[in-house]
Amino acid sequence: MKIIRAKDYQDMSRKAANIISAQVIMKPHCILGLATGGTPVGTYQQLVEWYNKGDLDFSEVTTVNLDEYRGIAKEHPQSYWSFMFQNLFNHVNINPSNVYLPDGTNPDSAAEGARYDAIIQHLGGVDLQLLGIGNNGHIGFNEPGVAFELGTHCVDLLESTIEANKRFFEKKEDVPKQAYTMGIKTIMQARKVLLVASGAAKAEAIKAACFGPVTPQVPGSILQMHPDCTLVGDAEALSLI
Ligand code: GLP
């Protein structure tokens, strides 16, 4: 794993956006795997800024997102679909028909997982997968203990993840209890992985993911086995390594 030290959140966001921009410039019809959460917001803002300056063109880009809450429609303000449109898609020239997220309203989890993996396969796989990391080392919504060989599947969110994500909802009870997520297998098939991390709350997870044993107890630790994974972290997130 290549580790890039950024000074602070803004520096992390610019460095991550630079890597994504390079991907889009090198391969305008690339498949970008995208992530939600607070960490990539600054990266998306930077991409929008460069798009507005005329430096980036998303017209041929296709995106596949990591995950989506189960049981809420895409129009729900806290769906990851809404997040992506608010933070990126509404502000750049991406074709909305080239944007994919798991369908949180599909009640058949096996069918939804298979449908989503078939889309990714049909697209020819992900060129660059952007990832955040949970405080407990989760990537996507792959919680500790997940089987590494899974493709896209339905997960029960841990209490700690619901707790961490309640800030986006009016009250904790509104946070969905389940989600569809790309599995570790799906994530590891991406040709490049870009992991972003910011803040002291991520320091333990980053240390365990980068230098601890490769174990399902720390889902992010599998990235040590990825042939082309880059971590961009700010000083606080990298403070223990
Ligand atoms: C959620 C998302 C993850 C994300 C994690 C960390 O659980 N499913 O993809 O990495 O939150 O989020 P944040 O960046 O807000 O700390």
Side-chain angles (χ1 to χ4, degrees), residues 176-233:
K177 307 281 180 288
Q178 291 185 314
Y180 288 123
T181 183
M182 282 186 194
I184 298 292
K185 180 176 157 192
T186 331
I187 292 170
M188 288 297 281
Q189 284 171 344
R191 286 182 272 282
K192 285 188 171 74
V193 172
L194 172 60
L195 174 64
V196 286
S198 167
K202 300 291 169 67
E204 284 289 353
I206 286 296
K207 183 182 169 195
C210 298
F211 293 104
V214 176
T215 165
Q217 291 316 314
V218 182
S221 65
I222 191 71
L223 299 173
Q224 293 175 38
M225 313 290 284
H226 194 282
D228 191 352
C229 176
T230 302
L231 160 64
V232 182

Side-chain angles (χ1 to χ4, degrees), residues 35-40 66-67 80 132-134 138 140-141 161 165 167-168 202:
T36 55
T39 314
L66 273 175
D67 45 15
Y80 283 169
I133 189 164
H138 76 228
F141 267 131
T161 298
N165 287 359
R167 65 190 196 277
F168 298 112
K202 300 291 169 67

Side-chain angles (χ1 to χ4, degrees), residues 147-161:
F148 281 163
E149 46 276 290
L150 285 176
T152 302
H153 62 288
C154 178
V155 290
D156 294 330
L157 300 181
L158 290 182
E159 188 57 29
S160 56
T161 298

Side-chain angles (χ1 to χ4, degrees), residues 1-20:
M1 191 188 297
K2 190 177 290 171
I3 300 177
I4 298 178
R5 286 187 183 266
K7 287 193 288 288
D8 51 23
Y9 180 76
Q10 207 195 346
D11 189 32
M12 178 206 75
S13 301
R14 286 175 65 88
K15 285 180 161 65
N18 261 304
I19 293 170
I20 297 170

